[in-house]
Amino acid sequence: MFVFCLAVVFKLVSIQFIQGDKYRALAEQRIVKNVVIPANRGNVYSVNGNLLATSIPKYDIRIDALTPSDRTFEKHLKPLCDSLSVYYGKSSTYFQNKLRKARVNKNRYYLLARNIGYSDYIRFRNFPLLNLGAFKGGLIVEQTTKREHPMGAIAQRSIGYERFDDDGNVTRAGIDGAYGVKYLRGKDGRRAKQQIGKGQWKPIADYNQVDPQDGFDVYTTIDVNIQDIAHHALLEQLEEYEADHGCVVVMETKTGEIRAISNLGRNKDGHYYERLNYAVGESIEPGSTFKVIALLAALEDKVVDTSTVIDTKLGYKQFYGRPIYDTHGHGKISAARILEVSSNIGMATIIDDGYSKNPKRFVDHLKEWNLDKPLGLPIIGEGKPVIPQPGDKIWSKNALPSMAYGYNLRLTPLQILTFYNAIADNGVMVKPRFIREVKSLDKVIETFKDSKINNKICSDETLKEMQAMLKNVVERGTGKSLYSPYFSMSGKTGTAQTEYWMDDWKENKRYISSFAGYFPAENPKYSCIVVIHKPSIKKGYYGADVSGPVFKKIAQKIFTDTPIVDEVESLDIDSESTEKEYKSFYNIAKTYKTIMPNVVGLPTMDALALLENMDLKVKIEGVGIVKRQSIKQGEKIKKNQTIVLEVS
């Protein structure tokens, strides 16, 4: 027995002093750990301040049923259950039985509410017993964030997201994905938790060891009014022509700022949604919209001028043993008329006659315009252009004639639009831009300015000739069905075969319909491209019939709903209601600094301005006048505290 006792003592001393650090670390690791608290992701706003994406805090409320003393538990149990009864609509007795059972079973992680919003979270924290905090009342609060898009499905793919799967793989789509790491994500916080059995972990304290730092807010170039117009115009046409998918982009001419981008694809049920970012990521054979680029090169090189007469035959001509067709026979017509009527034969003849002996000269023009390179957008997944050149596997004698009318090469819709925008902007090619600035509350962190790809794509003479031809396309060419005497547009129709290499094409023909241009024709404010894939050929497939009306509707709506020039008769108008609103606004702003004011009844923008100047984070639900606020009047407020305004 003496030897046995010595062995036990020796083992205890060994564990305590020799291996003590090791076992203490293991024990600590098993019962206490630091848990990451994700930072609130920054908001994404439109150019006019509308919320496009925001992180909504969600809360789980639990109670450690063993923490309160017997006296405290009994004193506050019924009032707590009465509050729960009002919240859930169940009897107070029901909750008393549940909580008593949880205490008997030593449940230290009993769920009271799951995935509730901020206003309900504040409500729960004020319930009896829970208002005593973690140490006396057993309150356990766990916060998560959920990304929401107030505009719903409109531009959802372009606004984007950042998602992690169970294996840690990340998908970053759109603006949110592109700017997430650098600006939107913020810095995570940390909180110590203690294991309480059965794989459950309870926060050691009701505060964080390291508070999370919220991400910056990103202000995009998207205009919600133009975005709404573009989305519904595209959706209506896709449904009308039963097309597979389509996209539309509206760009401000001078700055390259993207005012609207919509990408809609059809699911198995025939409904359209933001499936992929086709405008940025899908490289296609552009068809006749490329004729503008090809003819511009020929005019600049003096291969032809607008009055040069070309024989387009009667709609059929062979090039190196391969036939090229026109929809109609046009005979001998000028180079300008070739673009207006969109003659494949005419364009193939111009480019082949002018460059067949030196095709590199033509390809070099495309390279000078950077059409062989991606635009370098921050949005992940930009499609790569394909511009063949002599020596490539896809190069042949037919390469030039094919390229002349938009085949044997690939560009994305946004790359095509960028070139058309340069024509509208007197030859200056600007890079498309989705972001205007990054802010932290009212502090500007970074501002994004215009970036030029090419200072001048061609001479002024060539530019004026092309601008005149694009205007004539709408007035008397393939786009004449779109002409309106009330406002002017310039552009080019496009109709391209797609999947023509597949065996079933003759039995099931597929086309891509497009229209690219700008408006107004004389002093362009916006450029726009519409691309619709595989419309039902029973209903129509020409660019002027399928995509052109979308372009026209967008142009008309922008002119009607957002006029370029606003005329104000007089600014010296006294309004009693306006003066009253101003005085109310001024008095609140002057009086309240750290105490919550009453903003119910104020217009949304006034309430937003007041609260943000008080260093509050404001979440707005609805549009119009404030009807309810989550923080009551008179409560003390903290910097960066979130307030929810219900507006209607």
Side-chain angles (χ1 to χ4, degrees):
M1 289 297 294
F2 178 72
V3 172
F4 178 74
C5 289
L6 285 176
V8 171
V9 171
F10 174 78
K11 191 64 178 177
L12 287 172
V13 171
S14 175
I15 292 173
Q16 181 70 23
F17 297 103
I18 300 174
Q19 297 175 302
D21 291 341
K22 174 185 174 183
Y23 286 114
R24 274 190 291 270
L26 285 172
E28 187 74 13
Q29 185 179 6
R30 289 177 180 174
I31 63 171
V32 177
K33 68 177 181 180
N34 281 323
V35 178
V36 172
I37 304 172
N40 283 332
R41 199 171 181 84
N43 294 332
V44 179
Y45 292 95
S46 72
V47 72
N48 30 23
N50 300 90
L51 197 59
L52 300 179
T54 186
S55 292
I56 307 296
K58 296 293 182 181
Y59 302 88
D60 289 351
I61 306 295
R62 298 176 183 271
I63 187 170
D64 181 345
L66 286 182
T67 292
S69 65
D70 290 340
R71 182 180 177 183
T72 301
F73 185 80
E74 292 300 332
K75 179 181 177 181
H76 295 286
L77 178 62
K78 188 176 186 306
L80 170 61
C81 294
D82 289 344
S83 298
L84 292 171
S85 174
V86 173
Y87 183 84
Y88 284 109
K90 294 183 179 180
S91 68
S92 177
T93 305
Y94 169 83
F95 290 105
Q96 290 183 51
N97 293 335
K98 288 287 184 181
L99 289 174
R100 288 189 184 281
K101 185 176 180 181
R103 189 170 174 86
V104 170
N105 293 335
K106 300 181 179 181
N107 191 332
R108 310 194 67 181
Y109 204 60
Y110 184 76
L111 181 68
L112 294 177
R114 184 189 296 278
N115 203 34
I116 60 175
Y118 181 78
S119 58
D120 286 337
Y121 158 69
I122 295 297
R123 184 176 174 184
F124 265 83
R125 286 205 67 135
N126 290 320
F127 282 176
L129 189 60
L130 300 181
N131 60 3
L132 300 178
F135 297 115
K136 291 184 178 181
L139 172 66
I140 300 172
V141 178
E142 294 185 323
Q143 178 182 335
T144 57
T145 57
K146 181 181 178 183
R147 201 67 169 166
E148 291 190 356
H149 296 83
M151 288 183 65
I154 297 178
Q156 192 171 40
R157 186 80 188 187
S158 300
I159 297 167
Y161 53 83
E162 185 179 53
R163 292 177 185 165
F164 292 85
D165 63 17
D166 295 336
D167 298 323
N169 300 314
V170 61
T171 301
R172 297 186 177 97
I175 295 168
D176 203 311
Y179 294 94
V181 175
K182 189 172 182 181
Y183 299 115
L184 290 165
R185 188 184 289 177
K187 294 182 180 180
D188 294 338
R190 294 191 176 276
R191 189 176 194 183
K193 286 191 175 185
Q194 181 179 19
Q195 190 175 31
I196 56 177
K198 297 182 180 180
Q200 296 177 336
W201 294 81
K202 168 193 170 183
I204 292 176
D206 61 352
Y207 57 87
N208 301 324
Q209 288 177 310
V210 179
D211 286 327
Q213 296 180 25
D214 293 347
F216 298 132
D217 295 331
V218 168
Y219 285 76
T220 72
T221 61
I222 301 294
D223 184 305
V224 293
N225 295 319
I226 298 177
Q227 180 66 45
D228 186 67
I229 290 167
H231 173 87
H232 287 98
L234 177 64
L235 177 61
E236 182 181 348
Q237 202 73 345
L238 289 172
E239 291 176 339
E240 172 67 25
Y241 283 87
E242 301 173 5
D244 182 75
H245 65 274
C247 66
V248 56
V249 185
V250 180
M251 182 190 296
E252 189 173 79
T253 305
K254 295 295 181 184
T255 64
E257 291 187 345
I258 302 299
R259 289 287 176 256
I261 177 169
S262 184
N263 301 275
L264 297 173
R266 187 173 57 185
N267 62 16
K268 294 179 181 179
D269 299 326
H271 300 297
Y272 292 93
Y273 68 106
E274 290 259 340
R275 190 169 67 185
L276 293 170
N277 197 334
Y278 303 109
V280 171
E282 187 174 38
S283 295
I284 59 171
E285 289 182 309
S288 295
T289 53
F290 189 80
K291 290 174 182 174
V292 170
I293 301 172
L295 184 56
L296 197 74
L299 291 171
E300 186 69 1
D301 284 340
K302 308 297 183 184
V303 169
V304 293
D305 59 35
T306 55
S307 60
T308 301
V309 176
I310 305 295
D311 188 0
T312 65
K313 308 296 181 182
L314 297 176
Y316 170 87
K317 183 179 179 180
Q318 281 203 347
F319 288 79
Y320 307 105
R322 188 174 68 84
I324 293 179
Y325 300 91
D326 279 341
T327 306
H328 306 287
H330 301 289
K332 294 181 179 181
I333 54 176
S334 68
R337 188 62 181 162
I338 282 172
L339 189 69
E340 292 171 16
V341 299
S342 197
S343 169
N344 295 337
I345 294 172
M347 281 305 308
T349 301
I350 290 172
I351 300 304
D352 189 62
D353 288 352
Y355 296 98
S356 59
K357 293 181 180 179
N358 185 12
K360 187 175 180 297
R361 185 184 178 197
F362 177 75
V363 175
D364 284 347
H365 260 303
L366 306 184
K367 291 183 176 181
E368 287 170 12
W369 294 329
N370 293 288
L371 294 174
D372 62 325
K373 300 182 183 70
L375 294 167
L377 303 174
I379 292 179
I380 298 169
E382 182 184 359
K384 293 182 179 180
V386 176
I387 303 292
Q389 58 183 339
D392 290 348
K393 289 183 179 180
I394 59 174
W395 188 268
S396 68
K397 287 185 177 181
N398 278 305
L400 273 179
S402 297
M403 291 171 70
Y405 60 102
Y407 288 87
N408 202 44
L409 55 89
R410 289 182 176 273
L411 296 169
T412 67
L414 192 52
Q415 289 159 359
I416 298 168
L417 178 61
T418 301
F419 194 89
Y420 274 75
N421 192 77
I423 297 172
D425 194 21
N426 293 319
V428 181
M429 186 183 289
V430 292
K431 183 177 178 178
R433 186 155 52 91
F434 291 87
I435 301 298
R436 177 169 281 188
E437 61 184 2
V438 176
K439 298 175 72 175
S440 176
L441 298 178
D442 291 332
K443 181 183 177 183
V444 176
I445 304 299
E446 187 171 349
T447 300
F448 296 81
K449 297 181 180 180
D450 304 343
S451 175
K452 294 180 182 178
I453 299 173
N454 196 307
N455 289 322
K456 195 76 169 178
I457 60 173
C458 64
S459 66
D460 289 336
E461 179 187 358
T462 302
L463 200 62
K464 289 178 181 178
E465 290 174 341
M466 182 54 69
Q467 290 170 344
M469 285 186 284
L470 289 175
K471 186 177 180 182
N472 288 335
V473 168
V474 176
E475 291 185 356
R476 66 189 189 195
T478 53
K480 62 185 178 182
S481 61
L482 307 173
Y483 174 73
S484 171
Y486 302 107
F487 65 94
S488 59
M489 306 183 303
S490 295
K492 180 70 185 74
T493 58
T495 308
Q497 298 176 1
T498 186
E499 299 179 359
Y500 52 84
W501 54 87
M502 297 181 71
D503 295 335
D504 67 336
W505 194 84
K506 288 186 177 180
E507 295 77 29
N508 180 23
K509 295 179 179 179
R510 277 93 71 191
Y511 293 91
I512 299 173
S513 305
S514 57
F515 190 95
Y518 50 85
F519 54 92
E522 292 75 20
N523 184 24
K525 175 72 173 177
Y526 299 104
S527 60
C528 177
I529 188 168
V530 183
V531 181
I532 294 179
H533 286 248
K534 294 187 274 190
S536 170
I537 60 173
K538 294 178 181 178
K539 295 189 174 185
Y541 58 90
Y542 288 113
D545 300 329
V546 181
S547 296
V550 178
F551 182 97
K552 182 179 180 180
K553 185 171 289 186
I554 291 170
Q556 282 181 319
K557 286 270 189 179
I558 289 176
F559 267 86
T560 304
D561 297 348
T562 55
I564 293 170
V565 178
D566 292 325
E567 294 185 4
V568 180
E569 293 182 3
S570 174
L571 294 175
D572 301 323
I573 300 174
D574 293 327
S575 170
E576 185 178 342
S577 61
T578 303
E579 186 69 19
K580 185 178 179 181
E581 283 183 8
Y582 171 76
K583 287 181 178 179
S584 174
F585 180 96
Y586 177 77
N587 288 333
I588 293 174
K590 186 178 178 181
T591 304
Y592 293 93
K593 299 296 181 184
T594 59
I595 303 297
M596 184 64 205
N598 180 22
V599 295
V600 174
L602 287 181
T604 305
M605 295 309 295
D606 287 352
L608 185 66
L610 276 169
L611 298 176
E612 285 188 345
N613 284 330
M614 296 171 68
D615 291 330
L616 289 172
K617 295 186 70 175
V618 185
K619 177 183 176 296
I620 298 172
E621 297 178 349
V623 179
I625 304 298
V626 178
K627 296 297 182 185
R628 194 172 290 107
Q629 59 190 67
S630 62
I631 303 176
K632 294 179 181 179
Q633 181 183 6
E635 287 188 15
K636 190 172 179 62
I637 57 175
K638 300 177 182 178
K639 187 176 181 180
N640 291 330
Q641 188 174 349
T642 300
I643 180 171
V644 181
L645 302 181
E646 294 183 24
V647 182
S648 62

